[in-house]
């Protein structure tokens, strides 16, 4: 119910903000004749009072109808999203997996080598990943691996080898954040009583580190998973633009520029739903990692 309420608030706020912004979807440098503009607005119900437009949109939304795009004439928003969503979903999912696969081992490694040159080196790499924005990392990687070395294609999304540069670019910053947080959490846990007890029982250091310390250190890391998903989803807009990836980011930017109300609302609803699902997944993982936390 809370998730449904959150989505309703997001949909309502987006709907109202779009209507109150100056200008309209059919305003252009060359003004349309008033009769033509009135006919177009009547076709899309834009001449109706705002409450009537809102109720009509919510009614269509409850039936799973996002409406027809204002700019892509004759195309439903549902069709546009269904074509581009799998690409954006792939990009985001791979970036999240890469960020956790790199970030957690790097953080554990740095904590296990605390105050050594290896720890400092790992944290310098992590700090660099946090500080460097995606729009800077992307051209640097293209310059090195596509232009100079010729190992990887610089753009498009038509095969696994094309995925590497966009996914790595998108996953670098989240991986660095996860590495720093994992290191800090492991260092806090490593001095706990149960860890000293495990050592006193004669367990090997690797067993203590990966079986006892790591599991109890993952709660803070899981906590930032949902915000990281939001960061990665918003980051896909830039990455898709730089690497010419045919995902939803391109449609979102174009729809905002064109004031394509149904497409803006449709893409916003999809991204909001993904974020809500990410938060629900985090709650489930809490209960899995710490049985004292109960789902209600």
């Amino acid at each position: 119910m809370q998730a449904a309420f959150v989505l309703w608030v997001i949909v309502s706020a987006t709907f109202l903000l779009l209507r109150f912004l100056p200008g309209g979807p059919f305003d252009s440098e060359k003004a349309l004749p008033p009769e033509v503009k009135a006919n177009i607005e009547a076709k899309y119900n834009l001449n109706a009072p705002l409450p009537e437009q809102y109720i009509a949109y919510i009614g269509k939304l409850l039936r799973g109808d996002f409406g027809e795009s204002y700019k892509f004439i004759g195309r439903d928003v549902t069709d546009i999203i269904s074509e581009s969503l799998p690409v954006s979903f792939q990009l985001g999912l791979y970036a999240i997996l890469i960020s956790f696969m790199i970030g957690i081992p790097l953080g554990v490694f740095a904590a296990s080598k605390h105050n050594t040159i290896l720890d400092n080196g790992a944290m310098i790499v992590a700090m660099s990943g946090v500080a460097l924005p995606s729009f800077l990392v992307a051209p640097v990687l293209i310059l090195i691996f596509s232009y100079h070395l010729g190992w990887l294609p610089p753009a498009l999304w038509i095969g696994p080898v094309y995925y590497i540069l966009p996914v790595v670019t998108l996953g670098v910053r989240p991986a660095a954040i996860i590495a720093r947080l994992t290191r800090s959490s492991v260092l806090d846990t490593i001095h706990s009583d149960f860890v000293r007890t495990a050592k006193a029982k004669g367990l090997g250091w690797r067993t203590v580190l990966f079986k006892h310390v790591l599991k109890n250190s993952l709660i803070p890391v899981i906590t930032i998973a949902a915000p990281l998903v939001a960061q990665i989803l918003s980051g896909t807009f830039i990455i898709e633009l730089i690497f010419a990836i045919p995902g939803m980011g391109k449609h979102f930017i174009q729809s905002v520029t064109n004031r394509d109300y149904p497409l803006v609302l449709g893409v916003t609803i999809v991204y909001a739903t993904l974020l809500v699902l990410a938060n629900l997944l985090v709650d489930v993982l809490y209960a899995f990692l710490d049985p004292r936390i109960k789902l209600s």
Side-chain angles (χ1 to χ4, degrees):
M1 288 299 294
Q2 291 179 348
F5 178 74
V6 169
L7 288 176
W8 172 74
V9 170
I10 292 173
V11 171
S12 301
T14 308
F15 181 91
L16 294 174
L17 285 173
L18 286 172
R19 278 1 185 234
F20 285 124
L21 285 174
F26 303 108
D27 293 340
S28 60
E29 293 181 359
K30 184 179 180 181
L32 295 172
E35 299 82 7
V36 175
K37 187 177 179 181
N39 286 333
I40 295 175
E41 290 181 344
K43 176 184 176 183
Y44 294 109
N45 200 32
L46 292 175
N47 58 348
L50 190 59
E52 187 178 327
Q53 292 183 43
Y54 176 74
I55 293 171
Y57 182 77
I58 294 296
K60 291 169 66 176
L61 194 60
L62 292 175
R63 297 193 297 273
D65 183 4
F66 286 110
E68 183 181 337
S69 169
Y70 293 165
K71 296 299 177 183
F72 299 95
I73 305 300
R75 295 198 65 191
D76 289 334
V77 171
T78 306
D79 295 335
I80 297 173
I81 291 176
S82 61
E83 286 178 5
S84 54
L85 178 61
V87 175
S88 293
F89 185 78
Q90 266 187 313
L91 174 59
L93 179 64
Y94 294 158
I96 291 171
L97 292 177
I98 286 287
S99 61
F100 277 93
M101 289 170 62
I102 294 175
I104 290 178
L106 185 62
V108 173
F109 173 77
S112 66
K113 306 293 182 184
H114 188 219
N115 280 339
T116 65
I117 190 171
L118 295 175
D119 177 25
N120 294 334
M123 286 303 100
I124 288 173
V125 172
M127 283 297 294
S128 303
V130 173
L132 293 174
S134 297
F135 61 82
L136 180 61
V137 174
V140 169
L141 292 181
I142 291 173
L143 195 64
I144 296 173
F145 293 100
S146 299
Y147 183 75
H148 288 296
L149 299 177
W151 291 351
L152 298 170
L156 300 180
W157 189 263
I158 53 178
V161 72
Y162 291 82
Y163 301 169
I164 297 174
L165 285 184
V167 168
V168 170
T169 304
L170 189 58
V172 162
R173 194 166 189 273
I177 294 173
I178 291 170
R180 295 184 71 241
L181 190 61
T182 302
R183 174 183 177 274
S184 175
S185 183
V186 168
L187 287 177
D188 287 340
T189 309
I190 217 165
H191 299 295
S192 301
D193 292 338
F194 71 91
V195 175
R196 283 195 288 270
T197 303
K199 288 180 182 177
K201 288 182 177 179
L203 295 178
W205 174 236
R206 288 179 182 273
T207 304
V208 173
L209 185 62
F210 289 100
K211 187 174 180 181
H212 297 280
V213 175
L214 180 57
K215 183 177 180 181
N216 288 281
S217 304
L218 286 180
I219 292 290
V221 179
I222 296 300
T223 302
I224 66 162
L228 280 181
V229 170
Q231 182 183 354
I232 287 175
L233 289 178
S234 58
T236 58
F237 299 162
I238 300 171
I239 300 302
E240 289 177 5
L241 196 63
I242 293 175
F243 290 97
I245 298 172
M248 286 209 307
K250 178 188 69 176
H251 291 304
F252 187 77
I253 295 172
Q254 288 181 349
S255 63
V256 172
T257 306
N258 295 329
R259 304 291 175 83
D260 193 342
Y261 296 161
L263 191 52
V264 172
L265 280 161
V267 175
T268 303
I269 291 169
V270 170
Y271 278 123
T273 304
L274 291 175
L275 288 178
V276 169
L277 291 176
N279 279 287
L280 289 175
L281 180 61
V282 167
D283 290 341
V284 173
L285 289 175
Y286 278 154
F288 173 74
L289 291 172
D290 189 347
R292 293 171 298 179
I293 301 175
K294 302 294 182 184
L295 292 176
S296 60

